[in-house]
Amino acid sequence: MKASRGGFRHVRNYWLAVGSELAAPVLRLFGRLVSRGGSTPSATWRRGLIIAHSHAGDLLYRTCSLPYLRAALPDCEWDYLTSAAAALLLENNPAIRSVLPFAVNDDSSRLVPGAFAELASRRYDVVLCTNVIRHVRDFGLSLALRAPNRIGVGNKGFSGLLTQPVHVQFPDALAAYPRAIMAAATDDRASWPLDPHVYPDAAARDRASAFLKRLALDPQRPVLACFATTRQRIGQWPASFFSDVLSEVAGERQLTLLLMGGANDEATLRWIAERVQVPCHVAAGTLDWLALAEVMRACDAVFTMDS
């Protein structure tokens, strides 16, 4: 498969992908020798594994497609490999049989001790490698698990390690890339909406309700939630940018601000709160993912720079 230049930030990676495609016949032969037989029809699949990055945003991008994957292949039960921190976002998800929090942390592809043996024991019929960045190591894991069906992006190199390489259009919405891969697995058109799906239960709704009750929000004021921090090591906008923008918005319309983030973000959020002349509440590390989803349903708008 021809490598797509638009899928690469760095020229050197593009040429590495081009070189890997020259070796595709050898990689395909190696894959057939290692895996448990050749590829099989999707109607025969019973156990599948989804591999993806473990950041919360990356996981949410996949939830858009999970209901359609499950509906198209009703006889196949899916496990999802992620980190412990992100696993809660898949709680109660009817499309997933098991959430496997085996990644060491949100920013690592390494597995906790004993995880590989557990994955191998499940003898997956198919592995979906849904990443389009740092994807080769996922191909390697799917092959190490000896899965007879391995599906992932094919036009970024090393497609010979896959049994079904998928041509992905670049650039596109981040959630569209895993959608294309899951659509290829189901022989469907990648046309469904890119709205994330989470499933808060009654306990999460109660936690959100208790949180909102403590705030005693003025029902006459719209609520603007703001996430002013990001997990990214680069690209963080200064806190002064958020205080300036929020002050300008508050000057034009009466509203209530919710400054939200993790426990480590509290100092930054309180710095912003002190500079915005409007009713403002700081919630740093007080809500889990599903309760946060319910709180956001009560907000009129969200101001954020990261997913």
Side-chain angles (χ1 to χ4, degrees):
M1 181 175 283
K2 184 178 179 180
S4 298
R5 177 66 183 90
F8 296 88
R9 298 177 183 175
H10 305 293
V11 174
R12 65 177 183 275
N13 291 341
Y14 168 70
W15 287 114
L16 178 61
V18 171
S20 74
E21 291 309 299
L22 296 177
V26 176
L27 294 177
R28 279 193 289 270
L29 176 60
F30 176 71
R32 284 196 294 270
L33 292 173
V34 172
S35 61
R36 300 189 310 274
S39 59
T40 56
S42 60
T44 66
W45 299 346
R46 296 297 177 265
R47 290 189 172 186
L49 176 67
I50 299 170
I51 301 176
H53 296 316
S54 294
H55 292 299
D58 293 302
L59 193 153
L60 287 170
Y61 297 147
R62 275 98 181 140
T63 63
C64 311
S65 299
L66 295 179
Y68 302 91
L69 177 69
R70 177 63 173 157
L73 299 170
D75 296 326
C76 186
E77 295 185 316
W78 295 94
D79 295 345
Y80 197 109
L81 177 62
T82 187
S83 67
L88 185 61
L89 281 165
L90 287 172
E91 193 169 293
N92 310 314
N93 193 309
I96 298 299
R97 176 186 66 168
S98 299
V99 182
L100 307 177
F102 293 166
V104 170
N105 57 52
D106 286 1
D107 203 32
S108 174
S109 62
R110 292 187 298 112
L111 303 178
V112 299
F116 178 80
E118 172 62 25
L119 290 172
S121 71
R122 298 185 178 223
R123 296 178 64 84
Y124 290 108
D125 300 306
V126 56
V127 176
L128 302 186
C129 303
T130 63
N131 292 322
V132 296
I133 298 175
R134 293 179 292 176
H135 59 293
V136 179
R137 60 193 184 189
D138 301 334
F139 296 178
L141 175 59
S142 68
L143 188 58
L145 293 174
R146 304 180 63 204
N149 301 280
R150 304 177 300 279
I151 304 174
V153 59
N155 50 321
K156 285 200 67 175
F158 294 90
S159 66
L161 295 174
L162 303 171
T163 58
Q164 187 176 346
V166 180
H167 182 89
V168 176
Q169 295 293 332
F170 295 103
D172 207 338
L174 292 174
Y177 300 135
R179 179 178 66 177
I181 293 167
M182 294 188 196
T186 62
D187 296 322
D188 198 357
R189 291 180 62 251
S191 58
W192 54 78
L194 297 179
D195 302 318
H197 295 260
V198 292
Y199 299 88
D201 56 11
R205 291 192 291 271
D206 287 344
R207 293 192 297 273
S209 179
F211 170 81
L212 291 170
K213 186 176 181 179
R214 289 195 300 271
L215 299 185
L217 300 176
D218 183 347
Q220 302 303 315
R221 289 175 172 264
V223 179
L224 172 61
C226 177
F227 298 84
T229 56
T230 174
R231 64 173 175 81
Q232 302 286 0
R233 295 189 181 95
I234 59 176
Q236 170 74 57
W237 286 75
S240 58
F241 167 80
F242 286 93
S243 63
D244 291 345
V245 172
L246 292 173
S247 295
E248 184 172 346
V249 172
E252 296 180 1
R253 184 171 185 180
Q254 290 189 337
L255 49 78
T256 298
L257 292 178
L258 293 185
L259 294 174
M260 312 188 79
N264 294 334
D265 302 323
E266 184 169 5
T268 299
L269 299 181
R270 294 203 177 279
W271 187 93
I272 295 172
E274 292 171 358
R275 286 156 178 79
V276 180
Q277 301 302 314
V278 68
C280 187
H281 302 276
V282 173
T286 58
L287 294 168
D288 58 76
W289 287 120
L290 295 186
L292 174 61
E294 283 297 303
V295 168
M296 290 180 69
R297 293 182 196 275
C299 298
D300 296 278
V302 174
F303 177 36
T304 181
M305 63 176 166
D306 197 2
S307 55

